[in-house]
Amino acid sequence: MNLNYKSWAIIFAAAGIICNSSSLNAQQLTKYVDPFIGTGGHGHTYPGATVPFSLVQLSPDNGKNGWDWVSGYHISADSIAGFSHMHLSGTGIGDWLDIAIMPMVKPVQQKKVDTRVKFSHDNEKASPGFYQVSLENGIQAQLTATERVGYHHYQFPAGSQPTIRLDLHHAHNWDRPTQTEIRVIDNQTVVGKRYSTGWATQQHIYFAIKFDKPFAEILLNGEKSQQAGGKINSADKNEPGVNAQFIFPGNQEVALKVALSTSSEDKALLAMQEIPNWDFNAVRTAAEQKWEKELGKIKVESSDETLKKIFYSALYHTAVSPTLYSDSDGAYKNYKGESKKMANGQRYTLFSLWDTFRALKPLFTITQGERYTDMMNSMLAFYDENGLLPVWDLSTFETNTMTGYHAIPVLADAVLKDVPDIDQEKAFQAMLASANQSIRQVPDYIQYGYVPQDVYGGSVTSTLEYAFDDYCISLVAKKLGKKKEYEEFTKRAKNYTHLFDPNSGFMRAKLKNGKFVEPFDPFYSEHEFSKSQYIEGNAWQHSFFVPHDVRGLAKLFSKKDGLEKMLDTLFTAPSYMTGENQSPDASGFIGQYAHGNEPSHHIAYMYSYLGKPWKTQEKVRAIIDSMYHERPDGYAGNEDAGQMSAWGVWSMMGLYPASPVNGEYVFGSPVLDRSEITMPNGKVFTIVAKNNSKQTPYIKSIRWNGKPYNKLYITHNDMLQGGTLEFEMSDKPNLKLGKKKSAWPTSMEN
């Protein structure tokens, strides 16, 4: 019987329902998740209530502006200004924070008010699908959520005049309202809309609010209004953001449900059916069960409880985005205001592709058998609507943030792994469109074989990333029998060679005349993209981005071991950068290796392509031990929509998609004693690390299903068959392991 990803997913989803009904398994894994990890440092995550990949992320906002508040929240703050329903997780730029609710002890008869109330983190708690806090004014808040509905429960102190404030302005330095409306249906129901501009310059969201009891009075922009039929529109008030206050005298508890839609107010009212009653604990329990099922896809064992906390908090963060964008029937409005509907499945948005093509999306081909087809078809829907695949899709708007056209490796990986129900020919044509687009310096890249620095900044980063993306196209062309395109893009995949400087060993920016830009300082960092030669970093971090052709890169060095020595030097070089406008994204340094930003993420695994896997094992273990912690500042940099966590998930188990398109996972140094991965077809792939400890980072030997295994990687197809991969760990490197070329991961050149 031939069952594809989706068939197996249905069978095992059903099995999961039976298993999750067991009290023995209830909350077995969610207890290891700490949503506050990443809310400190520059992690930029949020602690609020959400369910996997949902439209609603109901979380507190501190009411502060600044880089460390792009998610609305930072652990350093001591006040809360509101609880809004849409948040970005771990990004370097902010947006959203839409539809803000704030409970107050009394109404305020003025249009604008500072809603911030102090609180202590001692009185705050979060777990998957749940958030609660006690504010200093005596109000206690509890939040939970479904995919499209946020559920609020507030308890007010004695003597207060319980008031719920709805704020459609909720101003911050990222997103600003352009048109808002609140309309009162009856004394328990309100609907409205919020259009705004920010990182995505055209956004719209519709909402419906249902209270558990009638409100006695309503203030619209601080003025009394009728309880039914009342309406306030930003156009009428000549201001972009309007607000309302709903007053509940004589009540110490107020609950409300806020449903969202990207289509219409009526669809928001329909979405309210996700929570048909007023049983907060039942909704919270259902949210926790969804997370339990999600986390249960990878079950790990370790004698170190802290490691399990770090692992499952990371796995939690890998299942936060992309986020739902469509209604339950697949309908949505894109940023242009066009009404659309997915032919099958759901539309997703928030594709942070520059970050997530590296490890998160390959992880999804294992963990998201039920959703991944929809995510890929969402990118193809973006292509249908805009003529190009997304670069950084937010609210279906192309922000064009960062370099490369990295929807290509993601789609290519899905095609090469035969993820079901994707039109492979259409996907290929979409890849060609992006690779031959008329913007983003692509015409110059095609003309010169590199992006000249005197055309636009980022010469090195853009060139290397385009070359890798082109390699991905060549693999799909080969699979589909496109000989002409296969030859063309195989040649383009070698464009990285044009920027290699044999004298320094670095990739260097070139001008249109073919000369390197002078002067050259490998430590120099410039954060302004139009001026920088390396995006968010310097020559040290970016010169190694040739994941598709590591041995081809090695051959460019004059000495046989030149690349290996260059890698050695990377990890021991002084940890500083020069320049007046250094990129803050380059962080988490070991030498000049910067784990806090994505260009470094594959580098430690490059040694294995050169027959020196013990160096990979040594470096990977050092990175895990020093860059992942159970504290709020537990990430080395921006969590980046799941990528930083995905690196941890892969590497803690002992493998990593160093070239994230060819279905090979390179071995590192597992810190977990045992990992059981339920593959999309339902079979279980198990990784066992024997004699594992902090003092044994090296792999002594490998066995696959009980037999000696000599390769330094395992394939996706092998994992789909199920079985047990066993590492025998040691405190000493095995210099003979993986010495033969036949054991090495794939490179364009052998």
Side-chain angles (χ1 to χ4, degrees):
M1 180 168 57
N2 290 323
L3 295 179
N4 61 23
Y5 274 33
K6 190 164 287 186
S7 301
W8 278 110
I10 293 170
I11 292 170
F12 281 85
I17 293 171
I18 297 170
C19 292
N20 282 337
S21 66
S22 166
S23 60
L24 180 65
N25 289 331
Q27 308 314 306
Q28 183 180 5
L29 301 177
T30 52
K31 69 180 180 181
Y32 292 108
V33 175
D34 182 359
F36 289 106
I37 293 177
T39 61
H42 302 306
H44 297 177
T45 65
Y46 59 82
T50 191
V51 295
F53 305 101
S54 60
L55 174 62
V56 165
Q57 310 91 33
L58 179 53
S59 190
D61 300 327
N62 297 138
K64 287 193 172 188
N65 291 324
W67 192 52
D68 279 330
W69 276 268
V70 297
S71 74
Y73 180 98
H74 193 269
I75 200 72
S76 63
D78 63 355
S79 63
I80 290 175
F83 303 99
S84 62
H85 289 77
M86 299 177 70
H87 292 81
L88 304 182
S89 180
T91 59
I93 302 175
D95 209 326
W96 290 2
L97 310 190
D98 290 80
I99 321 302
I101 298 291
M102 187 63 184
M104 303 191 301
V105 293
K106 64 179 181 180
V108 179
Q109 292 190 340
Q110 59 192 63
K111 289 188 295 184
K112 296 181 179 180
V113 59
D114 186 349
T115 59
R116 287 178 293 179
V117 178
K118 287 188 176 297
F119 76 107
S120 168
H121 293 296
D122 293 337
N123 299 319
E124 185 183 33
K125 180 181 178 181
S127 60
F130 176 70
Y131 174 87
Q132 72 175 25
V133 65
S134 295
L135 303 175
E136 283 193 4
N137 61 8
I139 294 176
Q140 296 181 40
Q142 291 185 313
L143 312 174
T144 189
T146 63
E147 282 74 13
R148 299 173 183 84
V149 185
Y151 194 148
H152 307 238
H153 182 272
Y154 300 111
Q155 187 168 343
F156 295 84
S160 63
Q161 299 179 58
T163 301
I164 302 295
R165 187 174 192 268
L166 165 65
D167 185 5
L168 301 186
H169 195 272
H170 201 52
H172 57 105
N173 62 339
W174 304 102
D175 178 79
R176 300 173 303 284
T178 55
Q179 184 181 346
T180 56
E181 181 177 281
I182 300 171
R183 188 160 53 91
V184 182
I185 303 299
D186 55 43
N187 61 3
Q188 284 183 262
T189 312
V190 179
V191 297
K193 65 184 180 183
R194 185 179 191 270
Y195 295 175
S196 62
T197 183
W199 188 7
T201 61
Q202 298 181 61
Q203 305 172 51
H204 54 259
I205 195 75
Y206 302 90
F207 65 89
I209 301 176
K210 192 78 173 179
F211 295 95
D212 69 332
K213 54 182 64 70
F215 48 81
E217 190 177 344
I218 181 173
L219 304 180
L220 295 179
N221 266 30
E223 300 175 0
K224 288 187 178 181
S225 175
Q226 55 190 333
Q227 291 185 14
K231 177 181 176 181
I232 184 169
N233 188 293
S234 59
D236 299 333
K237 293 294 180 179
N238 195 32
E239 59 183 68
V242 295
N243 65 77
Q245 296 175 64
F246 307 94
I247 307 164
F248 299 85
N251 294 281
Q252 278 194 277
E253 293 188 23
V254 177
L256 61 146
K257 296 179 284 193
V258 181
L260 302 186
S261 168
T262 60
S263 297
S264 68
E265 295 168 0
D266 289 341
K267 284 294 190 72
L269 285 167
L270 284 174
M272 194 76 72
Q273 296 174 7
E274 289 186 0
I275 306 179
N277 52 39
W278 292 97
D279 189 339
F280 183 92
N281 287 331
V283 178
R284 174 187 173 180
T285 298
E288 290 173 339
Q289 288 175 343
K290 290 173 184 176
W291 280 113
E292 190 69 27
K293 178 184 175 183
E294 190 65 44
L295 299 172
K297 294 173 180 177
I298 304 179
K299 296 180 179 178
V300 304
E301 295 178 10
S302 174
S303 58
D304 187 339
E305 292 291 290
T306 297
L307 280 180
K308 291 166 74 172
K309 186 175 180 180
I310 293 169
F311 178 85
Y312 279 113
S313 297
L315 189 59
Y316 167 84
H317 280 126
T318 68
V320 169
S321 63
T323 62
L324 270 174
Y325 188 78
S326 54
D327 302 320
S328 61
D329 61 357
Y332 62 94
K333 281 183 182 175
N334 62 19
Y335 82 93
K336 302 173 186 177
E338 300 168 336
S339 294
K340 300 287 183 179
K341 187 174 182 180
M342 297 295 286
N344 293 291
Q346 296 294 323
R347 179 71 185 263
Y348 288 83
T349 189
L350 205 170
F351 285 98
S352 177
L353 292 167
W354 188 81
D355 306 293
T356 61
F357 83 90
R358 305 166 196 264
L360 182 67
K361 295 307 190 293
L363 182 65
F364 283 174
T365 66
I366 291 173
T367 62
Q368 301 308 322
E370 299 173 51
R371 293 185 179 92
Y372 206 51
T373 294
D374 289 358
M375 293 180 184
M376 297 302 95
N377 284 330
S378 294
M379 292 200 293
L380 290 176
F382 187 100
Y383 165 69
D384 288 337
E385 295 163 24
N386 299 281
L388 292 172
L389 289 167
V391 172
W392 218 117
D393 163 16
L394 185 63
S395 297
T396 74
F397 179 84
E398 179 58 271
T399 68
N400 258 320
T401 303
M402 305 309 290
T403 46
Y405 26 74
H406 297 314
I408 285 175
V410 175
L411 263 177
D413 191 40
V415 169
L416 294 168
K417 290 175 179 173
D418 285 315
V419 172
D421 300 324
I422 297 173
D423 186 334
Q424 295 187 353
E425 179 61 33
K426 179 178 180 179
F428 182 66
Q429 295 304 321
M431 294 178 201
L432 293 181
S434 288
N436 293 294
Q437 60 190 286
S438 59
I439 56 175
R440 297 176 60 80
Q441 299 80 53
V442 173
D444 300 283
Y445 167 73
I446 295 172
Q447 178 181 349
Y448 294 96
Y450 59 92
V451 175
Q453 184 67 20
D454 46 350
V455 169
Y456 194 75
S459 169
V460 176
T461 305
S462 294
T463 300
L464 300 185
E465 292 182 5
Y466 284 153
F468 172 72
D469 293 344
D470 291 343
Y471 169 74
C472 299
I473 296 175
S474 75
L475 295 184
V476 176
K478 184 177 182 180
K479 176 181 175 67
L480 299 182
K482 312 280 188 180
K483 184 179 179 182
K484 175 177 173 292
E485 289 87 350
Y486 169 70
E487 293 174 351
E488 175 187 356
F489 285 93
T490 296
K491 181 179 179 181
R492 281 174 57 161
K494 284 285 190 177
N495 280 342
Y496 72 88
T497 62
H498 298 152
L499 298 188
F500 182 76
D501 175 13
N503 294 319
S504 67
F506 289 100
M507 296 288 181
R508 294 181 53 189
K510 270 187 179 179
L511 304 170
K512 286 189 288 186
N513 62 12
K515 294 182 178 180
F516 287 121
V517 174
E518 299 289 356
F520 173 66
D521 174 5
F523 293 89
Y524 182 81
S525 173
E526 166 58 61
H527 193 60
E528 173 56 51
F529 285 14
S530 63
K531 299 178 182 178
S532 64
Q533 300 172 35
Y534 309 90
I535 301 299
E536 296 186 353
N538 61 28
W540 282 106
Q541 291 105 49
H542 286 265
S543 292
F544 299 96
F545 189 75
V546 191
H548 59 295
D549 197 17
V550 176
R551 290 191 288 281
L553 172 61
K555 289 180 180 179
L556 297 180
F557 285 81
S558 57
K559 294 184 179 180
K560 185 178 180 181
D561 58 354
L563 177 55
E564 181 187 349
K565 287 186 175 179
M566 193 76 173
L567 287 167
D568 292 343
T569 306
L570 169 76
F571 286 97
T572 57
S575 297
Y576 71 88
M577 293 191 297
T578 59
E580 296 181 358
N581 187 27
Q582 299 171 15
S583 176
D585 296 273
S587 58
F589 282 90
I590 299 176
Q592 277 294 312
Y593 174 89
H595 193 72
N597 208 21
E598 280 65 30
S600 288
H601 277 191
H602 71 292
I603 293 177
Y605 289 89
M606 292 176 68
Y607 286 109
S608 292
Y609 289 79
L610 305 175
K612 299 295 176 65
W614 65 271
K615 290 189 175 183
T616 284
Q617 296 152 23
E618 184 178 79
K619 301 298 188 294
V620 167
R621 182 65 71 96
I623 296 165
I624 295 172
D625 289 347
S626 61
M627 300 296 167
Y628 290 86
H629 308 284
E630 75 279 16
R631 307 185 304 262
D633 63 346
Y635 293 116
N638 299 165
E639 200 279 328
D640 281 319
Q643 167 61 26
M644 198 68 62
S645 293
W647 191 97
V649 167
W650 280 111
S651 296
M652 290 177 76
M653 292 191 296
L655 62 171
Y656 188 75
S659 180
V661 71
N662 61 9
E664 294 179 357
Y665 307 122
V666 182
F667 301 149
S669 178
V671 296
L672 298 164
D673 299 333
R674 185 183 184 93
S675 305
E676 292 184 359
I677 306 170
T678 300
M679 299 298 290
N681 60 7
K683 295 188 178 182
V684 176
F685 173 76
T686 302
I687 303 169
V688 177
K690 298 179 68 177
N691 191 36
N692 187 36
S693 71
K694 287 185 177 295
Q695 292 74 39
T696 55
Y698 301 106
I699 296 175
K700 180 179 180 181
S701 62
I702 309 169
R703 299 181 76 86
W704 171 233
N705 290 331
K707 298 179 180 180
Y709 188 81
N710 297 316
K711 293 181 180 179
L712 300 177
Y713 65 95
I714 194 163
T715 68
H716 186 78
N717 287 335
D718 283 342
M719 290 176 66
L720 284 172
Q721 304 307 310
T724 300
L725 181 69
E726 185 177 280
F727 298 113
E728 177 76 26
M729 307 304 293
S730 173
D731 60 348
K732 298 181 178 64
N734 181 353
L735 304 182
K736 295 181 180 179
L737 182 70
K739 205 168 184 180
K740 294 182 179 179
K741 271 193 175 183
S742 59
W744 301 353
T746 300
S747 173
M748 282 186 71
E749 284 196 29
N750 286 319

